């Protein structure tokens, strides 16, 4: 029987600054927890909430793939690869830091709040940084997203009507962005996570729901 761990939204670590709030699924900074540092190559899943016009100025990353999925609002992105633009819901963005990259992110709106999920992975890219983005189809189903330089795949799962099956030969991390969703009889609300160690086929059910599903090759942690 695969090992299953449920982590609730309310148990995430919280960082607050002027106009920003971050909810961390994994150990981070002063919230260090040696028992919650990674799932396979996934080392961060942060829900970012930015007030109108607020954002993060240029900051640097190395040896990480950074994947962004916007939930509400529009994100303004700029990085040292020369990419500059806006990321709206339905667009999966990946910035592979490689040997080093800087980027800045802001709420593109002066009137509406912004909410997005930003995920980081240990990357196999140690060379020049790379940028990629993929438009994910609307509607129900199991959708591929942007490829990463890591032993993992990110899917967007939106069950509707009949349960949606997700084959996970080496385990899975299910992060709910819009709930409630039922996964193998476990009810998960928005921000909740299910982490499964070991091969499994998950059955997701719900209406007007959405989850982000990481399928690592060799989940650990």
């Amino acid at each position: 029987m695969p090992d299953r761990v449920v982590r609730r939204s309310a148990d995430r670590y919280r960082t607050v600054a002027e106009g920003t709030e971050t909810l961390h699924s994994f150990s981070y900074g002063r919230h260090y927890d040696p028992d919650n540092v990674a799932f396979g190559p996934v080392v961060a899943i942060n829900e970012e909430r930015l007030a109108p016009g607020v954002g993060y100025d240029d900051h640097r990353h190395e040896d990480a793939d950074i994947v962004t999925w916007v939930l509400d609002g529009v994100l303004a992105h700029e990085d040292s690869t020369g990419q500059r633009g806006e990321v709206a819901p339905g667009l999966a963005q990946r910035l592979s830091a490689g040997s080093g990259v800087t980027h800045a992110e802001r709420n593109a709106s002066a009137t509406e709040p912004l909410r997005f999920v930003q995920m980081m992975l240990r990357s196999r890219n140690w060379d020049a940084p790379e940028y990629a983005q993929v438009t994910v189809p609307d509607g129900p189903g199991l959708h591929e997203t942007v490829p990463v330089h890591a032993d993992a795949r990110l899917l967007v799962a939106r069950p509707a009507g009949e349960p949606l099956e997700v084959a996970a030969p080496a385990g899975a991390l299910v992060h709910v962005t819009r709930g409630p969703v039922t996964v193998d009889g476990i009810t998960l609300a928005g921000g909740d996570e299910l982490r499964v160690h070991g091969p499994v086929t998950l059955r997701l059910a719900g209406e007007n729901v959405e989850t982000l599903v990481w399928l690592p090759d060799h989940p650990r942690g």
Side-chain angles (χ1 to χ4, degrees), residues 60-123:
R60 181 179 173 86
H61 294 277
E62 297 177 358
D63 300 333
D65 271 24
I66 305 162
V67 180
T68 301
W69 182 252
V70 174
L71 305 179
D72 301 298
V74 178
L75 172 70
H77 169 91
E78 183 175 0
D79 67 58
S80 56
T81 72
Q83 292 291 330
R84 183 174 186 173
E86 295 184 343
V87 183
L91 187 68
Q93 180 203 65
R94 186 213 72 208
L95 180 61
S96 185
S99 57
V101 71
T102 60
H103 69 149
E105 298 166 307
R106 304 195 69 82
N107 186 340
S109 173
T111 58
E112 299 297 326
L114 168 66
R115 189 167 64 99
F116 62 98
V117 177
Q118 191 159 83
M119 299 155 279
M120 296 186 188
L121 299 92
R122 291 187 293 264
S123 179

Side-chain angles (χ1 to χ4, degrees), residues 143-192:
H143 305 294
E144 294 281 351
T145 66
V146 67
V148 296
H149 293 283
D151 294 325
R153 296 163 58 207
L154 176 63
L155 307 176
V156 173
R158 302 191 193 103
E162 293 298 315
L164 184 64
E165 291 195 348
V166 181
L173 185 155
V174 179
H175 179 92
V176 180
T177 55
R178 185 171 66 244
V181 60
T182 301
V183 184
D184 290 351
I186 301 170
T187 300
L188 303 172
D192 289 352

Side-chain angles (χ1 to χ4, degrees), residues 20 29 47 55 73 207:
T20 69
E47 182 179 324
E207 295 289 340

